[in-house]
């Protein structure tokens, strides 16, 4: 069975209370936001020991950390500072025992040889080198571009340097095929989002819906992950929950039921 984690931010609770709730919901692990929940410069050795003790008390691990920068690494303004901050977050991720750091990388030009893509590749190569020294994998979020386009772009990097945080719901919401994107990106996937979506013709784009009520075929996705011997987590995430704790609880139950033989 693929282990399940909870994005703490989705619970819409203070940090310590969210950890307690994730433990009560019997999640295997959590995802911590290193920009908005805990900042890397606040993580002293004492603070890290205290956090690990809390995680142990609630029988939780850290599946991943997120570091959601306001802009992608394709934007030149403040790029050096953004890269330095991401590297500091990777170091903190390692100190916390997390194996994956998740962030969006920014827009990818469909013309793969475009100059903007070349610059972005250089930044990602730099981040990948730092991630390697930390023992952490940088995982690029899916959703902004079609999976086959993202694969073609990432294939230009050295093998194993960058992973993918596969978000089927975000792909549906942005008008892409989750199935086709997974088939393209399967070899890159190191983290998976438990998020669902449906097309909304009135809005011209998709909308997020509770897990299992959208068009993402989670039984097929989970079967594909198991066939690929996926060793990561499925992280439950709700962007706009009306009843956060109940919706996260329902999502965990759905994913457990899908995996019952």
């Amino acid at each position: 069975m693929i282990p399940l984690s909870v994005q703490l931010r989705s619970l819409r609770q203070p940090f310590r209370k969210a950890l307690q709730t994730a433990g009560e919901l019997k999640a295997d692990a959590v995802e911590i936001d290193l920009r908005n929940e805990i900042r890397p410069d606040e993580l002293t050795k004492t603070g890290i020991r205290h956090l690990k003790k809390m995680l142990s008390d609630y029988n939780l691990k850290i599946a991943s950390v997120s570091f959601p920068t306001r802009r992608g690494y394709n934007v030149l303004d403040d790029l050096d500072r953004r890269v330095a901050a991401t590297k500091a977050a990777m170091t903190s991720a390692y100190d916390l025992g997390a194996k994956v750091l998740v962030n969006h990388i920014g827009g990818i030009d469909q013309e793969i040889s475009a100059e903007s893509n070349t610059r972005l590749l250089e930044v990602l190569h730099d981040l990948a080198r730092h991630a390697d020294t930390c023992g952490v994998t940088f995982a690029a979020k899916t959703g902004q571009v079609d999976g086959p386009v993202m694969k073609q772009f990432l294939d230009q990097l050295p093998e194993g340097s960058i992973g993918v945080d596969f978000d089927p719901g975000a792909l549906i919401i942005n008008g892409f095929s989750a199935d086709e994107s997974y088939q393209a990106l399967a070899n890159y996937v190191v983290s998976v989002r438990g998020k669902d979506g449906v097309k909304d013709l009135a809005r011209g784009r998709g909308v997020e819906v509770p897990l299992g009520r959208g068009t993402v075929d989670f039984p097929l996705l989970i079967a594909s992950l198991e066939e690929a011997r996926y060793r990561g987590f499925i992280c439950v995430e709700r962007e706009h929950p009306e009843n956060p704790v109940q919706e996260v609880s329902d999502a965990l139950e759905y994913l457990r039921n899908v995996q019952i033989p």
Side-chain angles (χ1 to χ4, degrees):
M1 182 175 284
I2 297 173
L4 306 178
S5 69
V6 170
Q7 182 196 58
L8 288 182
R9 193 175 65 202
S10 293
L11 292 168
R12 303 296 194 270
Q13 293 178 329
F15 182 75
R16 186 188 294 267
K17 175 61 176 172
L19 278 179
Q20 180 182 343
T21 299
E24 291 170 349
L25 294 177
K26 300 291 191 293
D28 299 297
V30 294
E31 178 179 88
I32 294 174
D33 183 329
L34 286 186
R35 268 187 70 93
N36 303 299
E37 290 173 332
I38 300 177
R39 299 184 72 86
D41 56 9
E42 297 171 354
L43 283 171
T44 62
K45 289 183 178 179
T46 301
I48 290 170
R49 282 198 301 272
H50 182 57
L51 177 53
K52 287 183 174 179
K53 173 66 166 59
M54 281 196 293
L55 288 162
S56 176
D57 289 344
Y58 298 126
N59 200 27
L60 294 167
K61 300 176 182 177
I62 300 180
S64 53
V65 300
S66 63
F67 191 70
T69 53
R70 292 185 181 88
R71 291 173 289 186
Y73 304 102
N74 59 324
V75 178
L76 291 176
D77 288 351
D78 275 342
L79 179 58
D80 289 346
R81 187 174 62 158
R82 199 151 57 249
V83 169
T86 304
K87 289 179 178 179
M90 287 179 190
T91 302
S92 295
Y94 173 78
D95 291 339
L96 290 169
K99 297 282 198 298
V100 176
L101 180 141
V102 175
N103 192 19
H104 65 99
I105 59 175
I108 296 171
D109 196 309
Q110 296 217 12
E111 179 54 55
I112 294 299
S113 61
E115 184 180 345
S116 59
N117 283 350
T118 302
R119 288 198 304 267
L120 179 55
L121 284 169
E122 289 173 359
V123 175
L124 293 179
H125 203 170
D126 182 31
L127 289 174
R129 282 194 297 266
H130 185 78
D132 190 49
T133 64
C134 293
V136 172
T137 299
F138 181 95
K141 291 177 69 69
T142 61
Q144 293 187 343
V145 297
D146 200 5
V149 174
M150 191 173 192
K151 176 191 184 299
Q152 193 178 5
F153 173 78
L154 294 177
D155 280 350
Q156 299 174 91
L157 288 164
E159 185 177 352
S161 56
I162 291 284
V164 159
D165 176 68
F166 186 73
D167 187 336
L171 286 159
I172 295 292
I173 290 166
N174 288 306
F176 304 118
S177 166
D179 293 343
E180 289 178 10
S181 292
Y182 177 77
Q183 294 305 319
L185 293 167
N187 290 338
Y188 285 98
V189 174
V190 296
S191 176
V192 176
R193 297 281 125 181
K195 193 164 79 176
D196 212 340
V198 294
K199 292 180 180 177
D200 186 331
L201 297 178
R203 297 189 186 192
R205 70 191 302 268
V207 293
E208 183 192 15
V209 295
L211 214 63
R213 298 186 191 174
T215 55
V216 177
D217 189 340
F218 276 100
L220 175 62
L221 175 59
I222 288 170
S224 298
L225 290 168
E226 289 174 340
E227 186 178 346
R229 299 188 178 183
Y230 173 67
R231 298 184 180 278
F233 291 78
I234 299 177
C235 181
V236 170
E237 175 182 332
R238 292 289 282 133
E239 281 191 42
H240 307 291
E242 294 179 6
N243 187 342
V245 174
Q246 187 61 53
E247 290 177 32
V248 169
S249 176
D250 290 346
L252 288 168
E253 183 179 6
Y254 171 79
L255 289 170
R256 289 182 187 119
N257 288 338
V258 167
Q259 297 190 74
I260 293 174

